[in-house]
Amino acid sequence: MAVVAEAVESALGIAEDAPHVEHFDVLIVGAGLSGIGAACHLQKECPSKTFVILESRAAIGGTWDLFRYPGIRSDSDMFTLGYRFRPWRGPKTITDGWSILEYIRETARESGVDRKIRFGHRVARASWSSEAARWSVEASGADGRSVRFVCKFLYMCSGYYDYDRGHMPGWPGMNRFRGRVVHPQQWPENLNYAGRRIVVIGSGATAVTLVPALAESAEHVTMLQRSPTYIVSRPSEDKIANGLRRHLPAKLAYAMVRWKNVLLTMYFYTLSRRKPARMKNWILGMVRQELGPGYDVEKHFSPRYNPWDQRLCLVPDSDLFAAMRAGKVSIATDEIETFTETGLRLKSGEELAADIIITATGLNLKVLGGLELVVDGVRADMSRTLNYKGAMFSDIPNLASAFGYTNASWTLKADLTAGYVCRLLRYMDAHGYDCCTPRRRDPSIVEEPFVDFTSGYFQRAKAILPKQGSRRPWRLYQNYLLDIFTLRFGAVADGTIEFARLRDRRPAVRAALAGSPSAHFTADSPRS
Ligand SMILES: Cc1cc2nc3c(=O)[nH]c(=O)nc-3n(C[C@H](O)[C@H](O)[C@H](O)COP(=O)(O)OP(=O)(O)OC[C@H]3O[C@@H](n4cnc5c(N)ncnc54)[C@H](O)[C@@H]3O)c2cc1C
């Protein structure tokens, strides 16, 4: 094996005197919800594969470990945010961040994949060599030193946003403000907000989560929004689920509730697309019931866009509305003219006094965890790639990435992608392939934005995101049922993904990988 490793390293351009390099079949980047799920799939469905998880932080959980603001919780139900293979047993379906983190940790612990994680390893660069049919992956290790790994397949589970900082627009006069400005992504551990006047800038999922939680002890919280968002209240406990769980085995009850929630979410999404006016009236009607006839629902809760042009915001048990009814929370729909010493002046002339201003202004999207990708010496520009089945990218060999749904729980798609990657790896083994690359052969495919949401953070990142195509397998349908047929049951060799066997000139690599001299690869008929 040492001879093979040496030959592979030499083909990858790794110097002979370079520090020890570790070789794996699969290298997973990220130990969040997706990375832990991917590792569990791999361990069960491809038991002979060796793998490692590289995680830049010191903890499991990604999003659910990073965000520590008051009230942090899911905004989709746990029966679909949970893994397909591990029932969610918690009492609430809209649950707190800590319980989600515990669920991810327990999954890792019980399956043993926690032992495969290398914490403090930030992956910075990956270079693919067709000569070796391997990725050479560079990371900075826990001690800050550069470490290198070699893998046959690179699986990016690095999430979709920048962990270092959130999106923070600049406003005039910010440095005049004498109070504290806080971004929810960097919530100070000891922030004392009891009895304080707080303004939360934003009206997305983070703002509507934070506002009622802060209102429990703050003097008053104002949610300042430039434009409204659709807000829907759902019970935090699912009575049907809890009933079924009492009478049925856990796995069966979980599967039934999961399907119920998948189908209900799809139904409401489709209805929103087909009959937006009806859906809008229904949502605003519910808000009117919550806040009574005297409240200006049109101004503060009626967005300019249709339902599901952006993600709907879910509030559990009407907590936001209850805080508004209690007079602890108010909403201002206006724009900031300037920060002042004591708060904010709005374009309408209104002044909002504040001790603390929270900028719930969103995330900065990041593609593939900021990784620099090089394919055969050429730097890959991800914005010029087409996403294949929501899992791979055109002309990037042996690489998959987990990216969840925008109109349903993230995990539904991340789970399907992980299952697909295992099928792909097994297919390659069965046919003796070393390399798989989605190829864009059909010139009539039209490029479209990766995500068709109008949300600010997708619009800001349009230029760096990959594209989707106008037809399958390049189209992202954001539809769990269609994706089940494509990813779980569809042919792996679908005519678009190209498979190849390595043909390496050097005897050591050839012997190990059963190639023969001449070009690096022989591409096979895609439908073999
Ligand atoms: C506040 C908040 C609430 C959310 N609520 C929901 C919800 O209710 N429902 C839902 O479906 N979705 C929700 N989402 C989306 C959420 O991110 C996903 O549900 C899910 O947690 C994503 O998991 P992930 O593992 O793919 O990514 P992440 O959770 O982002 O984890 C990625 C991991 O990769 C690591 N990493 C990244 N780059 C590198 C690198 N270069 N090298 C090494 N490691 C790296 C990170 O440190 C991190 O640990 C929410 C997002 C946020 C921010």
Side-chain angles (χ1 to χ4, degrees), residues 4-20:
V4 180
E6 265 173 38
V8 164
E9 286 169 26
S10 131
L12 285 163
I14 301 172
E16 257 177 52
D17 58 352
H20 176 64

Side-chain angles (χ1 to χ4, degrees), residues 30 33-34 55-56 62-64 74-76 121 123 159 163 369 409-410:
L33 192 59
S34 304
E55 167 56 56
S56 60
T63 299
W64 302 104
S74 64
D75 62 3
S76 60
H121 280 66
V123 178
Y163 267 67
S409 279
W410 181 273

Side-chain angles (χ1 to χ4, degrees), residues 508-519:
V509 176
R510 207 165 60 228
L513 300 166
S516 63
S518 85

Side-chain angles (χ1 to χ4, degrees), residues 6-72:
E6 265 173 38
V8 164
E9 286 169 26
S10 131
L12 285 163
I14 301 172
E16 257 177 52
D17 58 352
H20 176 64
V21 176
E22 288 184 81
H23 291 241
F24 293 95
D25 291 323
V26 183
L27 188 148
I28 297 172
V29 179
L33 192 59
S34 304
I36 298 301
C40 290
H41 275 275
L42 205 54
Q43 187 167 266
K44 184 152 184 269
E45 292 156 43
C46 300
S48 63
K49 297 274 175 232
T50 57
F51 70 92
V52 68
I53 307 172
L54 301 187
E55 167 56 56
S56 60
R57 304 179 70 242
I60 288 179
T63 299
W64 302 104
D65 184 69
L66 176 77
F67 281 85
R68 296 293 173 102
Y69 58 76
I72 171 82

Side-chain angles (χ1 to χ4, degrees), residues 410-483:
W410 181 273
T411 323
L412 289 173
K413 181 65 185 275
D415 251 355
L416 281 179
T417 302
Y420 170 75
V421 168
C422 293
R423 284 184 72 209
L424 180 63
L425 294 175
R426 288 199 309 265
Y427 178 89
M428 287 170 68
D429 284 351
H431 293 78
Y433 292 130
D434 303 293
C435 180
C436 58
T437 317
R439 296 284 186 206
R440 194 172 164 175
R441 295 192 176 88
D442 179 353
S444 69
I445 296 285
V446 178
E447 285 187 2
E448 293 178 10
F450 184 57
V451 176
D452 65 355
F453 266 18
T454 57
S455 313
Y457 56 100
F458 282 122
Q459 295 304 319
R460 285 197 299 276
K462 232 176 173 174
I464 57 163
L465 290 174
K467 306 285 182 295
Q468 63 168 315
S470 46
R471 280 198 306 281
R472 89 175 61 213
W474 305 105
R475 187 159 184 76
L476 286 164
Y477 287 95
Q478 303 285 353
N479 182 313
Y480 184 58
L481 284 182
L482 279 180
D483 284 339

